[in-house]
Amino acid sequence: MSEITVGMKGSAQVEVVHDNTAAAVGSGALEVYATPSMIALMEKAAMELVAPCLEDGQGTVGVELNVEHLAATPVGMTVRAEVELTAVEKRMLTFKVEAYAGDELIGRGTHKRCIVFNDRFMEKTLAKLNK
C-alpha cells in the first residue's frame, strides 16, 4: 500500500453512447454527453486514483463538486477525465478535475472525497431506514 500524496495523477475514460447522453439520463433532451455522466467519470477517476492507497475496508465517498461543463460532445467520441490530487487534510482529499474529448477541454473544476470505513459508513446510512 502506497501513501496518498499531493501531486498524484490519474484518469478514466468512456465512449459516448446513448446511455450516457443528456437525453438518456434525463438532464436534457439532446443526444450529447450528459453533465451528470461527465461528473461520474471525474469521480471515478478520483476514486480509482487513491483506492490502492487505502487500508482494507476503507473507501472514499464524494462530498463536494464544483464543475463547469464547457462544450458538448457527440455520441461516438471518447471522453477522458484527468484528476490531480491537490490537497490532503486528514481524511479529506481535494482534486483538480478536467474532462477532454480528444484535445478539447470539455469540463473542469474541483472535487472533494472523504476517506471512510465502508462498514461503519453503510451501518450509519442504513440505520436511517429504522427511524
Side-chain angles (χ1 to χ4, degrees):
M1 181 170 58
S2 57
E3 186 177 343
I4 295 175
T5 56
V6 169
M8 294 173 66
K9 294 181 180 181
S11 65
Q13 67 180 32
V14 68
E15 182 179 347
V16 181
V17 295
H18 170 75
D19 289 349
N20 58 20
T21 64
V25 302
S27 65
L30 302 177
E31 288 280 325
V32 296
Y33 192 55
T35 302
S37 299
M38 180 185 74
I39 289 169
L41 187 64
M42 291 170 164
E43 287 201 78
K44 178 182 180 182
M47 177 192 69
E48 289 179 347
L49 173 64
V50 298
C53 304
L54 300 175
E55 297 175 18
D56 285 342
Q58 285 186 320
T60 60
V61 294
V63 297
E64 184 179 315
L65 283 159
N66 182 5
V67 175
E68 296 177 282
H69 196 165
L70 304 169
T73 306
V75 169
M77 289 192 78
T78 298
V79 173
R80 179 183 75 260
E82 296 184 0
V83 300
E84 180 180 354
L85 184 60
T86 59
V88 178
E89 299 172 29
K90 297 184 181 178
R91 296 185 307 130
M92 193 64 63
L93 310 173
T94 303
F95 301 85
K96 172 185 170 185
V97 293
E98 295 179 333
Y100 294 87
D103 293 332
E104 181 182 18
L105 178 67
I106 64 162
R108 65 180 172 212
T110 58
H111 174 44
K112 289 187 179 185
R113 299 188 71 78
C114 184
I115 299 171
V116 298
F117 285 94
N118 296 329
D119 289 346
R120 282 192 281 185
F121 183 87
M122 288 306 301
E123 182 179 320
K124 184 177 177 181
T125 301
L126 292 173
K128 295 175 183 182
L129 293 172
N130 298 323
K131 288 187 177 182

